[in-house]
Amino acid sequence: VPELPEVETTRRGIEPHIIGKKIRSIEIRQPKLRWPIPKSLIDILPGLTFKEVQRRGKYLLLECAKGTLFIHLGMSGSLRITDQKKAVGKHDHVDILFSSGIVLRYTDPRRFGSILWHEGDVSEHPLLASLGPEPLTEDFHAAYLYTLSRTRTQAIKQFIMDSKVVVGVGNIYANEALFTAGIRPARAAGKVSLKRYQLLVQTIKDVLAEAIAVGGTTLRDFTSSDGSPGYFKQSLQVYGRGGLPCAACDTTLEEIRQGQRSSVYCPKCQR
Ligand SMILES: [Zn+2]
């Protein structure tokens, strides 16, 4: 599943290739994604240019003079920069063709992604209006989490994975950050101290920034004609390591299910 770092890497990868380039056409081979792709895009997009590629949560926002194209990669989506000569694969559902000859190609085998169009202020769009702060901005800080959590009995892991609380903390990053901050995933969010939240916030910022930095080293893949976008693997301390020894203390890591997601933690290092 593309997480926030992959989406940010995609944003950085496509932006320099498409900004200021005139759109010639959009070809929609399969409109049935999570929601249908609006057919009106066939008439709206030609002649326009993207001024900016922004990101909010896991939405890529491609901004034109007339409106904004929203792209979400869902469970298995990806975008790549290619050209018209490149053969179309079974899951290559959408091409945006530019006058320069390059193509922005959307591929999505499971079709849980989305491509939508919005005219007007994007921050008021229903998909974005209720989102919490971006984790890598100053709006995301320990006092914010601490204050918000005081009445919460839900588990800390579910609390930080709630996009209304903060966007972009996926399951892997939540597991890793809780390990580094020394907090058990099942602990009630309202019982976590301000000091622990300070450590947790810093860890979330570090782990996401590191993933984006690693992703940045693969950006050249966005220009190769046959390479898939450069996703990446980080070294993981707990995720996927249930039953194995803790890297810090050798205690066997425990694995539990929370909201149908796997949580792995060290019973000695995390309290
Ligand atoms: Zn340990």
Side-chain angles (χ1 to χ4, degrees), residues 26 28 37-46 117 119:
I26 178 170
I28 304 168
I37 302 173
K39 264 191 197 143
S40 57
L41 288 174
I42 293 167
D43 298 318
I44 292 170
L45 287 184
W117 177 252
E119 293 177 5

Side-chain angles (χ1 to χ4, degrees), residues 8 31 39 50-52 67 81 100 102 104 114 123 126 172-174 187 210 221 239 259-260:
E8 178 60 20
K39 264 191 197 143
F50 294 122
K51 295 188 293 185
E52 222 175 339
I81 299 291
S100 60
I102 70 152
L104 179 64
S114 50
S123 66
I172 297 174
Y173 297 112
R187 193 178 174 89
E210 189 196 334
D221 288 347
Y239 183 79
Q260 298 172 33

Side-chain angles (χ1 to χ4, degrees), residues 179 246-251 253 266-270:
F179 173 76
C246 170
C249 75
D250 257 3
T251 303
L253 297 175
C266 173
K268 193 171 166 201
C269 297
Q270 292 170 260

Side-chain angles (χ1 to χ4, degrees), residues 56-59 61 70 122-132:
R56 183 72 178 98
K58 295 208 282 183
Y59 286 93
L61 308 172
F70 281 46
V122 292
S123 66
E124 286 167 14
H125 192 283
L127 289 168
L128 307 186
S130 65
L131 293 180

Side-chain angles (χ1 to χ4, degrees), residues 31-269:
K32 291 179 189 164
L33 301 184
R34 183 172 179 191
W35 299 291
I37 302 173
K39 264 191 197 143
S40 57
L41 288 174
I42 293 167
D43 298 318
I44 292 170
L45 287 184
L48 296 178
T49 58
F50 294 122
K51 295 188 293 185
E52 222 175 339
V53 182
Q54 308 237 38
R55 180 189 55 73
R56 183 72 178 98
K58 295 208 282 183
Y59 286 93
L60 289 166
L61 308 172
L62 286 67
E63 194 192 325
C64 303
K66 267 189 176 173
T68 304
L69 194 68
F70 281 46
I71 302 180
H72 195 289
L73 302 176
M75 306 283 286
S76 59
S78 63
L79 283 166
R80 79 182 69 173
I81 299 291
T82 181
D83 61 65
Q84 278 180 286
K85 285 171 285 185
K86 172 74 179 164
V88 171
K90 187 181 169 192
H91 304 295
D92 295 340
H93 304 311
V94 178
D95 278 356
I96 298 175
L97 174 65
F98 295 85
S99 298
S100 60
I102 70 152
V103 169
L104 179 64
R105 181 162 286 173
Y106 179 81
T107 306
D108 190 353
R110 296 182 65 184
R111 292 198 271 119
F112 281 110
S114 50
I115 298 180
L116 300 167
W117 177 252
H118 179 69
E119 293 177 5
D121 185 352
V122 292
S123 66
E124 286 167 14
H125 192 283
L127 289 168
L128 307 186
S130 65
L131 293 180
E134 287 288 328
L136 294 172
T137 65
E138 287 177 3
D139 293 339
F140 180 59
H141 52 77
Y144 161 75
L145 279 190
Y146 179 76
T147 307
L148 190 63
S149 64
R150 284 312 86 190
T151 55
R152 306 274 185 120
T153 53
Q154 77 183 136
I156 180 72
K157 181 158 174 261
Q158 270 130 341
F159 179 65
I160 58 168
M161 287 179 68
D162 180 351
S163 65
K164 293 188 184 74
V165 173
V166 56
V167 298
V169 183
N171 192 41
I172 297 174
Y173 297 112
N175 271 287
E176 296 299 307
L178 288 168
F179 173 76
T180 305
I183 306 168
R184 280 202 194 195
R187 193 178 174 89
K191 300 277 187 206
V192 175
S193 69
L194 179 59
K195 207 174 164 187
R196 287 280 174 196
Y197 271 122
Q198 282 164 346
L199 196 52
L200 182 63
V201 164
Q202 194 51 54
T203 306
I204 289 170
K205 287 177 188 279
D206 289 347
V207 83
L208 291 174
E210 189 196 334
I212 292 167
V214 173
T217 64
T218 62
L219 283 184
R220 62 193 151 79
D221 288 347
F222 282 92
T223 56
S224 74
S225 55
D226 52 10
S228 57
Y231 297 157
F232 41 84
K233 301 252 190 295
Q234 268 178 306
S235 55
L236 302 173
Q237 300 194 81
V238 283
Y239 183 79
R241 297 195 66 244
L244 295 172
C246 170
C249 75
D250 257 3
T251 303
T252 303
L253 297 175
E254 289 186 11
E255 183 160 11
I256 56 169
R257 305 292 287 177
Q258 288 182 287
Q260 298 172 33
R261 310 271 201 140
S262 164
S263 298
V264 182
Y265 68 96
C266 173
K268 193 171 166 201
C269 297

